[in-house]
């Protein structure tokens, strides 16, 4: 009897503690930007974590509340794609800002600008409509084309995207994805510098990467186009265009980046090759992406890029036989 009474008393104390915690919950708004990798648990006390979900440094999460008014030890955040999505993280894991920018808070500023040399890409993807339409007179014969603008780290993808859309995207069914909402001017520019729009590449890029980088497709693609324009107006593009059909080394490219965007800029660039062809430049950037962004500033603030090929040939337009 005494043991039963003790168990009842303990149960009441635990219930009172949980109710007290519930009563102390403070609803909050804004965005929680993670500064570290931290467990995102479904319970503060029990530390349950279905799916072993962790926060990603630099990524922003919608802020729902704190566990105590004015003196919270944990914030409740929403983690898109997690089951359940509402999770608890320690306050010291990050910082608050007024609003999230897409799935990334304003302080999250690591990106990769992927600029493709389309003739080399098409050698490995001959069946695509944009490759079948390639000509020696086209923009893509002598300029870098837009692959995408990717928020880092690499796992920062599909922010707030419905599972069925993600499944379609990952299966390569890009034409089944919703069209992106763009002004006529932006769409015309995008179609000119992103040949992959013939294969609905812009739908894929917005869904996978853009949703974690900007509030809407217009902002996302306007920012990406401005950065690509700056690259194509630089001595880097001039060097590559004059070396069509010949070899180009990473050191030569690095020197051109230094001339165009400042000392050390070349160390922030990864060169991706397909066989012996230079197929893409991946520029590592850090900073706030917007209408006034400058590649020189974004490259200077970024960490050094890892790896990449040391040299490759610059492929001319037209599929080789």
């Amino acid at each position: 009897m005494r043991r039963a009474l003790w168990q009842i008393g303990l149960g009441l104390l635990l219930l009172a503690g949980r109710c007290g915690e519930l009563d102390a919950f403070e609803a909050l708004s804004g965005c929680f930007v993670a500064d570290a990798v931290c467990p995102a648990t479904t319970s503060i006390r029990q530390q349950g974590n279905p799916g072993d979900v962790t926060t990603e440094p630099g990524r922003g999460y919608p802020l729902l509340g704190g566990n105590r008014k004015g003196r919270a030890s944990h914030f409740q955040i929403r983690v898109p794609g997690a089951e359940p999505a509402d999770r608890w993280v320690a306050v010291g894991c990050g910082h608050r800002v007024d609003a999230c920018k897409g799935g990334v808070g304003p302080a999250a500023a690591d990106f990769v600008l992927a600029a493709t040399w389309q003739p080399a890409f098409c050698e490995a993807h001959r069946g695509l409509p944009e490759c079948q339409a390639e000509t020696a007179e086209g923009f893509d014969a002598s300029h870098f084309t837009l692959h995408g603008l990717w928020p880092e780290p690499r796992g920062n993808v599909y922010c707030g995207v419905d599972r069925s859309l993600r499944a379609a995207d990952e299966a390569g069914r890009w034409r089944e994805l919703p069209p992106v909402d763009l002004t006529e001017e932006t769409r015309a520019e995008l179609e000119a510098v992103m040949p992959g729009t013939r294969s609905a590449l812009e739908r894929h890029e917005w869904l996978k990467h853009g949703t974690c980088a900007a509030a809407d497709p217009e902002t996302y693609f306007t920012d990406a186009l401005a950065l690509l324009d700056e690259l194509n107006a630089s001595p880097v593009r001039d060097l590559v265009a004059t070396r069509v059909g010949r070899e180009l080394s990473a050191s030569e490219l690095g020197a051109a980046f230094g001339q165009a965007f400042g000392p050390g800029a070349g160390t922030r660039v990864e060169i991706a090759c397909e066989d012996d062809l230079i197929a893409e430049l991946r520029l590592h950037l850090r900073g706030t992406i917007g209408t006034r962004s400058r590649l020189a500033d974004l490259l200077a603030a970024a960490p050094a890029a890892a790896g990449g090929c040391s040299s490759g040939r610059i492929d001319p337009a037209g599929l080789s036989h």
Side-chain angles (χ1 to χ4, degrees):
M1 181 67 176
R2 188 173 297 175
R3 179 179 177 83
L5 288 173
W6 178 83
Q7 289 176 330
I8 292 171
L10 179 61
L12 290 172
L13 284 172
L14 290 173
L15 180 61
R18 289 173 183 170
C19 288
E21 184 173 301
L22 183 61
D23 290 340
F25 179 85
E26 179 184 16
L28 299 171
S29 61
C31 183
F32 178 82
V33 180
D35 296 325
V37 176
C38 302
T41 62
T42 54
S43 167
I44 298 173
R45 296 189 181 192
Q46 298 178 0
Q47 294 292 298
N49 190 356
D52 293 325
V53 177
T54 58
T55 55
E56 299 172 10
R59 180 173 176 179
Y61 303 86
L63 180 61
L64 306 179
N67 65 321
R68 296 190 193 95
K69 188 172 183 179
R71 53 188 183 92
S73 64
H74 289 75
F75 285 140
Q76 189 178 48
I77 62 173
R78 181 153 293 154
V79 183
E83 289 290 346
D86 294 354
R87 300 293 181 119
W88 291 98
V89 293
V91 168
C93 181
H95 61 279
R96 294 175 60 184
V97 294
D98 291 337
C100 292
K101 184 181 180 183
V104 178
D110 286 340
F111 297 85
V112 168
L113 175 68
T116 299
W117 189 257
Q118 192 72 9
F121 169 83
C122 284
E123 293 292 353
H125 303 86
R126 296 169 174 243
L128 293 177
E130 58 266 33
C131 295
Q132 293 292 319
E134 188 181 66
T135 66
E137 294 75 33
F139 174 90
D140 54 337
S142 57
H143 295 79
F144 290 104
T145 62
L146 180 62
H147 182 171
L149 180 63
W150 306 333
E152 294 289 280
R154 287 292 180 93
N156 191 13
V157 292
Y158 297 110
C159 293
V161 173
D162 181 82
R163 286 186 174 186
S164 62
L165 289 178
R166 177 168 181 167
D169 183 71
E170 291 179 330
R173 304 195 308 271
W174 296 351
R175 295 189 186 281
E176 297 177 18
L177 304 176
V180 295
D181 186 15
L182 300 173
T183 63
E184 290 185 10
E185 180 182 2
T186 300
R187 181 169 293 281
E189 185 177 357
L190 188 64
E191 290 177 352
V193 305
M194 182 187 254
T197 55
R198 291 173 177 259
S199 299
L201 175 62
E202 80 283 10
R203 303 185 189 191
H204 161 75
E205 289 297 317
W206 163 249
L207 199 74
K208 183 173 182 178
H209 302 289
T211 54
C212 298
D216 55 74
E218 180 72 19
T219 301
Y220 174 65
F221 284 111
T222 298
D223 290 347
L225 289 168
L227 295 174
L228 185 75
D229 285 348
E230 193 174 353
L231 176 63
N232 275 324
S234 77
V236 174
R237 200 285 317 186
D238 296 342
L239 171 66
V240 174
T242 59
R243 299 293 282 274
V244 169
R246 293 185 290 157
E247 194 86 3
L248 183 63
S249 70
S251 60
E252 291 175 295
L253 262 176
F257 267 97
Q259 176 189 352
F261 303 111
T267 64
R268 277 76 169 181
V269 181
E270 175 187 353
I271 305 172
C273 293
E274 299 255 3
D275 295 326
D276 64 337
L277 304 176
I278 292 179
E280 191 162 88
L281 301 185
R282 294 171 184 162
L283 283 62
H284 289 250
L285 312 174
R286 174 172 289 172
T288 301
I289 305 293
T291 55
R292 297 185 179 182
S293 300
R294 296 175 61 249
L295 270 180
D297 297 332
L298 297 170
L299 286 164
C309 51
S310 58
S311 66
R313 191 166 58 84
I314 305 301
D315 196 47
L319 303 176
S320 62
H321 300 286

